[in-house]
Amino acid sequence: MGGLRDVRITVVGIGADGWEGLPSSARALVEQAEVVLGGERHLALVPDVDGQLREPWPRPLSALPEVLPRYAGRRVIALASGDPLVSGIGTTLIRILGRDAVTVVPAVSSVALARARMGWSAEESTVVSLVGRDPAAIRNECAPGRRLLVLSSDETTPSVVAAHVLDVGYGLSRITVLGDLGSDQESRAEFLAGEDELPSDLPRLHVLAIEVHGPGNGTSSWAAGIPDHAFEHDGQITKRDVRASALSRLMPGPGQLLWDVGAGAGSVAIEWLRAHPLTEAIAIEANSERAARIGRNATTLGVPRLEVVLGAAPAALAGLPAPDAIFIGGGATAPGLLDLCREALRPGGRLVVHGVTVETEQLLIAAFQEHRGELTRLSIEQVTDLGTRFHGWQPARAVVQWSWEKPLPGTGIAG
């Protein structure tokens, strides 16, 4: 038996119209294969071939790296729905085997068919995959006028998605269930997210097309600094104005990881994740009640992918993947924490630390003098009532902010 490096796979996309919908070149690939892999539904769509091995995907799919070596040196075809690189097995196989070991032969994707049925262009619609993912993620995608194409897990997804869309204030959104696209059984059902009774007997295979309408609940902006009241908290929260300042220096980017140390309500990590669907974040919090609250906030605000680590820094940071940015909102005076975080950052990474006590301020001034960066004092005042006729300025406690970028190797220049 060979290893993963000896495995070569051609992934053939097949539509709901099955074997008849495949071009002759794709049919020939399937007929000439020694091994055909796929979901049970896909395998049932192609005719039997004498001597050909047919095997369904392993369960769980995470076992693939152990299973694939048994097919080394053989002609292997994998069947997938539509375009195998749209939330499909093609992406998984490339991740395991490498780009050069996987050839992809796509069919028309369900996304393309859904756009055609709705008359939506690619430029004016956004694809959201909920396949195997927490459907609460749809909450962060809702904004007035958006058009969303949602890849669903099963027939229960429409009602769950409708509940989330309604909960964030968009009950007037029209949801269209496009079932079995491209097949003889193709269907269409429409309803509003806020309707009391939703259609029943919806098809398991479908794409949701959502036209977002409604007043919203005030959290649909992806700019930093959503209102404090959007978070459940006990007072331990980075307030919106200083949070916006911190995030402008943390600079969220696709594929980048944030550590939110002493996370409190998790507001910085949550807004980091809301900035882009490919961002990642870990919230580290020593208080168990606050850690649980962070998880609830992440779900409510549409980023259930936030990872929460219960424990006190710096010990709780051991073994975590190297971050691209770190925010320390509390506990900066813990012995060795600042040095550990500077060392943990990837080259070009950003560190932002907030302090409100004299002791933390002294620590940050010393860090600035030694490592430079940017040192800022943030003083926020808001108007409050003074009696029944007058108003006055109420200052919040000043926040000292130290931000620093880790130099790139061999340059001494921050990223």
Side-chain angles (χ1 to χ4, degrees):
M1 180 184 294
L4 280 175
R5 68 179 61 186
D6 301 313
V7 178
R8 299 291 182 270
I9 294 182
T10 298
V11 188
V12 174
I14 186 168
D17 51 359
W19 184 250
E20 296 301 321
L22 286 179
S24 58
S25 57
R27 291 189 196 182
L29 288 171
V30 175
E31 291 171 334
Q32 295 165 12
E34 297 175 76
V35 179
V36 177
L37 306 175
E40 294 175 356
R41 180 177 65 85
H42 295 131
L43 295 175
L45 293 174
V46 300
D48 292 331
V49 175
D50 288 341
Q52 191 177 73
L53 178 63
R54 300 282 179 90
E55 293 198 353
W57 297 118
R59 295 181 182 177
L61 201 58
S62 57
L64 267 177
E66 289 75 45
V67 172
L68 290 176
R70 70 179 64 160
Y71 310 119
R74 307 177 75 177
R75 295 191 302 276
V76 182
I77 291 291
L79 299 175
S81 296
D83 184 345
L85 296 178
V86 177
S87 289
I89 192 66
T91 305
T92 302
L93 291 172
I94 290 173
R95 188 178 298 122
I96 295 171
L97 300 174
R99 183 178 58 187
D100 295 338
V102 181
T103 301
V104 177
V105 181
V108 177
S109 71
S110 59
V111 169
L113 290 170
R115 286 190 182 122
R117 301 299 185 265
M118 298 299 297
W120 295 354
S121 70
E123 294 80 12
E124 64 185 4
S125 55
T126 300
V127 178
V128 181
S129 177
L130 297 182
V131 178
R133 300 175 185 175
D134 191 326
I138 198 67
R139 301 168 76 99
N140 192 41
E141 300 294 340
C142 291
R146 287 200 92 194
R147 291 177 167 179
L148 307 175
L149 292 172
V150 180
L151 305 179
S152 294
S153 288
D154 54 40
E155 65 275 13
T156 67
T157 304
S159 61
V160 174
V161 165
H164 282 297
V165 172
L166 174 62
D167 195 47
V168 291
Y170 295 103
L172 299 177
S173 300
R174 180 165 296 280
I175 300 178
T176 303
V177 184
L178 300 167
D180 298 306
L181 287 165
S183 74
D184 294 337
Q185 292 77 42
E186 186 170 317
S187 63
R188 180 179 182 134
E190 297 184 3
F191 58 92
L192 297 182
E195 288 183 8
D196 292 334
E197 293 187 15
L198 305 185
S200 58
D201 299 325
L202 294 174
R204 184 175 181 81
L205 299 176
H206 66 267
V207 174
L208 295 180
I210 306 176
E211 298 175 271
V212 182
H213 295 292
N217 65 354
T219 63
S220 59
S221 174
W222 295 291
I226 61 175
D228 295 341
H229 64 71
F231 300 89
E232 180 187 348
H233 65 88
D234 60 0
Q236 292 298 312
I237 182 173
T238 301
K239 302 296 178 60
R240 67 184 303 184
D241 296 297
V242 294
R243 187 188 329 131
S245 176
L247 285 158
S248 72
R249 291 161 173 80
L250 291 168
M251 297 186 292
Q256 295 197 333
L257 171 66
L258 169 76
W259 288 358
D260 185 353
V261 181
S267 61
V268 171
I270 287 169
E271 291 223 52
W272 168 281
L273 292 175
R274 285 170 58 89
H276 194 278
L278 295 181
T279 50
E280 299 178 318
I282 302 173
I284 300 95
E285 173 55 51
N287 182 288
S288 59
E289 291 185 9
R290 289 177 184 158
R293 191 178 293 125
I294 290 169
R296 294 195 297 272
N297 282 332
T299 296
T300 298
L301 290 164
V303 287
R305 67 186 187 278
L306 174 61
E307 179 181 349
V308 181
V309 172
L310 177 61
L317 306 179
L320 298 182
D324 301 282
I326 300 175
F327 175 69
I328 305 177
T333 55
L337 179 59
L338 284 190
D339 288 340
L340 186 154
C341 287
R342 288 192 312 101
E343 290 298 320
L345 277 172
R346 294 179 183 274
R350 288 83 61 197
L351 172 64
V352 175
V353 188
H354 283 182
V356 295
T357 67
V358 171
E359 290 76 13
T360 306
E361 179 175 339
Q362 292 172 338
L363 178 71
L364 298 185
I365 290 173
F368 169 76
Q369 291 173 333
E370 182 176 358
H371 305 291
R372 306 309 295 173
E374 181 183 6
L375 192 64
T376 307
R377 186 191 296 272
L378 303 171
S379 298
I380 309 296
E381 297 185 21
Q382 294 182 324
V383 168
T384 59
D385 294 334
L386 294 178
T388 58
R389 297 178 52 199
F390 298 99
H391 301 83
W393 292 103
Q394 177 67 46
R397 184 174 296 176
V399 175
V400 175
Q401 180 186 78
W402 178 53
S403 57
W404 176 79
E405 294 187 26
K406 189 168 186 174
L408 297 171
T411 67
I413 301 174

